[in-house]
Every structure is written in C-alpha cells, then in structure tokens.
Amino acid sequence: MACTGSDLFLPGDLVRVVTTTNDFIAIFIQFNPVKLQVTVEIVNPITGSGGFVTSNVLLCGDIVSISPA
C-alpha cells in the first residue's frame, strides 16, 4: 500500500506525491484509513500525461510514493 506513512503527515504539510500518471507538490489535507484515500491540495504539478488532470482525493492504489517536499 503506497499510503504507508501518510498517517505521519499533518494537515498543511507540504508533500511530494508521485502517482502512476503524475508527479506533483501538494499540501497534505488528510489520510482516510477506512477508504484508503489521501486528500491533498495540489500546489505545483511537475509532470503529467496528456495534461495535468487529477483529483484532490487520491486512492492509495494510484499512489507510487508520498514524501516530505
């Protein structure tokens, strides 16, 4: 599960999120361990496939890594 460690971040923390299609800097909002989702506010898209389109609610299965920015 790529959300491992998401419970260590606090709301407002700046994180780098790498998903299967995008790589971006975001403000961490919350981790939902029941739905296995991470909610973020995207600050700076780094790369994207076919334009930058992603939800602010990310499924753990789509996240490759999440780390401090």
Side-chain angles (χ1 to χ4, degrees), residues 21-64:
T21 56
N22 293 294
D23 182 347
F24 54 89
I25 304 298
I27 297 170
F28 186 83
I29 305 295
Q30 72 173 9
F31 169 56
N32 184 329
V34 175
K35 293 184 177 180
L36 296 179
Q37 297 174 336
V38 173
T39 305
V40 297
E41 182 177 330
I42 297 162
V43 176
N44 181 23
I46 299 170
T47 60
S49 58
F52 189 79
V53 178
T54 189
S55 169
N56 285 354
V57 178
L58 307 168
L59 300 176
C60 289
D62 295 335
I63 298 173
V64 176

Side-chain angles (χ1 to χ4, degrees), residues 7-20:
D7 54 337
L8 302 177
F9 296 112
L10 298 172
D13 284 355
L14 204 59
V15 294
R16 179 176 181 184
V17 181
V18 179
T19 68
T20 52

